[in-house]
Amino acid sequence: MSSCASQTTGRNATSTGGCGIRTRTPSLPAALMGRAMRRLNDWAARHLTDDQRANRRAALLPTPLSGPGFYADPVDLTGLSNGEVIRSESVSPRVPRRGVAIRRFLVRSTDTAGDAVPVAATLLEPRRPWRGSGPRPVVVRNQPINSLGLNAAPSRRIARGTYIDAPPLLPLLLRRGYAVLIPDHEGPRMAYSAGIMAAHAVLDSVRGMRHLAPELVESAMVMDGYSGGAIATAWAAQEQASYAPELRFRGAVCGGTPTDFGLLQHSMNTGLGSGLLAAATIGQAREYPELAELFGDFALYMAIRMKDLPQIRLAASGLARLDMNALAAVPDAFDSPIARGIIEANKPGATAPTMPVLLYHGSHSKLLGDQFIPEEGVVELAHRWRHLGADVEFLPVPGEHMIAAGWAMPTVLRWMRAALAD
C-alpha cells in the first residue's frame, strides 16, 4: 500500500494525497452514500445466482470463446515444459499485411500460482530477407491490452484485422525488417495488470517462438511495452533471470509504467481513470481469488457485467467516477491485509533485470505530466533497480499519458536500434 496520506479540506472537496496527487472524495455525504450502497447491495444480492455468490472468482472469469479451433482448450498440459508449442497456424488477417508472414501459436505457461495454463502469441516476420549482420532481430512487443474479454486478445484481433498498435510502433519495426512477437500477456483468464502472469506469458511466448522459428534462436532481442504493456515488460525483464535464464535480451523499454496500485488509488479512484482501475482490480481477482471476497454484492454484480469488455468501454465507464472503497465489502478496502498483500506482490523492484532498461514517463518537470500513472512510482522503481545493480535509464518526456507515448517514439526507436545493433 502506498504511504501517501489523503488530506481533505471540506466534506466534499478536492483532496491532495501525500504524494501531491489530486483526487476527489465522493460528492455524497458519507451517511447518504452508505444508505445508497446498502440498497444497491440488497438489490444485487437478489439478482446474483447462488453459484456466483459461492464462487466469486469463477463468476469473474471471461466468457470462453465458443466452438472448436485454435483457442479450444488443450486436452492435457501434463508433461509439457514451459514454452512448449501446443499448436500453431498461419494467419491471413481480414485486413492483409502485405509482405509479412503471420503465425500464431499456443504454448504451455504457468500462472501466478504456478499452475499450467495455455498462452497464445503471434509472430510477424517480414518476408523479405534480412540484410543486416547476423540473424533477423526480434522485438517482443507487449501491446497495452487493458481489456477483460478474450475477444480483445492481440492474437485474436490480429487475425480479425481489428488490432490497433499503441503507440504505433509495429509498422515501423516491420519496415526495418525486424520480426515482431506479440504475446497475449494477460494470459488465458485475461488477468489485466497481474505482473507474474504477464511475465510468464511473455517469456514462454519467446520460448515458443524459438521452437517455432529456429532461424530466430540466435537473434538479438529487445522487449517493449507502454502502459498496461509496460507492466508485462517490466515484470518479464525482472523475472527473466530466474524464470527463463536461457533467454538473452539486449534491453527492455517501458513507458507510462504502472508500478504501485497504492498510488493508483489516489490518481484514478473516483476519477476518470476509475473504469480502468476497476478493470485492473477484476483482472487481479482472476489471479488472486481472495481479492474477489472483498467485492460487495453490487460490485460483484457490476464486475460480472464488465468481465468481457474491451479497453474503450472500460475506460468510458470511468465517467461514472467509481469509488472502489464504497463498492467494497469491507471498510478502507485498499488498506485491508488482502489488498496490501496483492499490491505488494504486484510492485516490481524486488530483483533487478540483467538487461539494460529504458523507463520513460510523462513528467511534470517537462510539460503536463501523466495524470493517471504517477511519475514517482517509476522514479522509485528506477532507484530500486539501480540499487540492485541494474543498468537503468530514466527519461522524463512532455505530455500526459497519451501524448507522452507519441512524444517518446523517436527516442524509443533509436534506443532499440542501438541495443539490437550492439
Side-chain angles (χ1 to χ4, degrees), residues 48-359:
L48 292 169
T49 68
D50 290 342
D51 288 343
Q52 288 169 340
R53 299 191 69 183
N55 193 339
R56 291 170 174 249
R57 188 264 194 121
L60 297 176
L61 295 180
T63 302
L65 298 174
S66 60
F70 178 82
Y71 294 97
D73 288 338
V75 175
D76 189 3
L77 293 175
T78 305
L80 299 182
S81 59
N82 287 336
E84 189 167 344
V85 177
I86 300 163
R87 63 174 68 104
S88 65
E89 64 180 16
S90 296
V91 174
S92 298
R94 296 177 185 176
V95 179
R97 289 187 178 272
R98 298 187 183 280
V100 179
I102 304 176
R103 288 178 285 181
R104 64 181 174 185
F105 55 97
L106 206 63
V107 299
R108 194 257 199 205
S109 188
T110 53
D111 63 11
T112 304
D115 298 325
V117 290
V119 166
T122 306
L123 176 64
L124 299 92
E125 193 170 1
R127 295 185 187 277
R128 69 181 186 275
W130 169 248
R131 301 298 184 187
S133 61
R136 186 189 304 274
V138 175
V139 176
V140 182
R141 181 90 176 98
N142 295 315
Q143 165 73 9
I145 304 170
N146 300 2
S147 302
L148 294 173
L150 287 164
N151 275 321
S155 63
R156 188 156 173 88
R157 284 187 176 271
I158 290 170
R160 299 175 73 181
T162 58
Y163 176 80
I164 299 174
D165 196 51
L169 289 174
L170 179 61
L172 303 176
L173 298 172
L174 293 172
R175 191 174 303 148
R176 289 198 58 83
Y178 300 154
V180 179
L181 177 67
I182 303 177
D184 289 2
H185 57 75
E186 289 187 5
R189 302 187 192 100
M190 296 297 286
Y192 173 29
S193 78
I196 294 295
M197 176 70 255
H200 293 174
V202 171
L203 296 170
D204 286 324
S205 294
V206 176
R207 283 169 162 158
M209 177 199 72
R210 287 155 58 95
H211 288 298
L212 193 66
E215 71 276 11
L216 300 178
V217 168
E218 300 299 326
S219 293
M221 295 190 296
V222 296
M223 288 187 280
D224 166 69
Y226 191 79
S227 192
I231 296 175
T233 303
W235 276 94
Q238 177 172 293
E239 296 298 305
Q240 172 268 324
S242 59
Y243 187 79
E246 79 280 10
L247 301 181
R248 294 289 182 268
F249 292 89
R250 297 278 183 86
V253 184
C254 308
T257 313
T259 62
D260 185 344
F261 280 82
L263 292 177
L264 299 185
Q265 173 200 0
H266 297 278
S267 63
M268 298 178 74
N269 193 41
T270 75
L272 293 177
S274 61
L276 288 177
L277 180 62
T281 304
I282 295 169
Q284 292 282 2
R286 291 169 171 178
E287 291 296 293
Y288 300 89
E290 63 272 24
L291 181 58
E293 301 304 316
L294 300 185
F295 287 40
D297 284 341
F298 182 69
L300 177 63
Y301 179 87
M302 294 302 297
I304 291 170
R305 274 136 192 85
M306 294 171 65
K307 70 179 187 176
D308 293 315
L309 293 185
Q311 176 180 354
I312 292 176
R313 293 174 67 183
L314 289 170
S317 67
L319 293 171
R321 297 181 177 271
L322 306 171
D323 184 350
M324 305 297 289
N325 278 312
L327 292 168
V330 299
D332 300 319
F334 280 98
D335 203 33
S336 67
I338 289 175
R340 287 202 309 270
I342 294 171
I343 288 170
E344 189 60 30
N346 285 274
K347 187 175 180 179
T351 58
T354 57
M355 65 197 75
V357 178
L358 171 65
L359 299 172

Side-chain angles (χ1 to χ4, degrees), residues 4 19-22 226 254-260 262-264 266-268 347 359-384 386 392-401 404:
C4 302
C19 292
I21 304 164
R22 299 187 68 79
Y226 191 79
C254 308
T257 313
T259 62
D260 185 344
L263 292 177
L264 299 185
H266 297 278
S267 63
M268 298 178 74
K347 187 175 180 179
L359 299 172
Y360 66 96
H361 210 85
S363 175
H364 292 286
S365 67
K366 298 295 182 180
L367 178 66
L368 298 178
D370 195 318
Q371 78 280 30
F372 293 127
I373 314 299
E375 179 184 7
E376 51 264 45
V378 182
V379 172
E380 180 190 355
L381 176 61
H383 288 324
R384 294 176 73 176
R386 286 169 181 160
V392 181
E393 178 183 353
F394 175 66
L395 175 67
V397 297
E400 45 67 69
H401 192 64

Side-chain angles (χ1 to χ4, degrees), residues 31-42:
L32 181 58
M33 175 67 76
R35 288 196 297 271
M37 286 310 307
R38 283 194 293 274
R39 292 185 178 183
L40 288 171
N41 282 324
D42 289 344

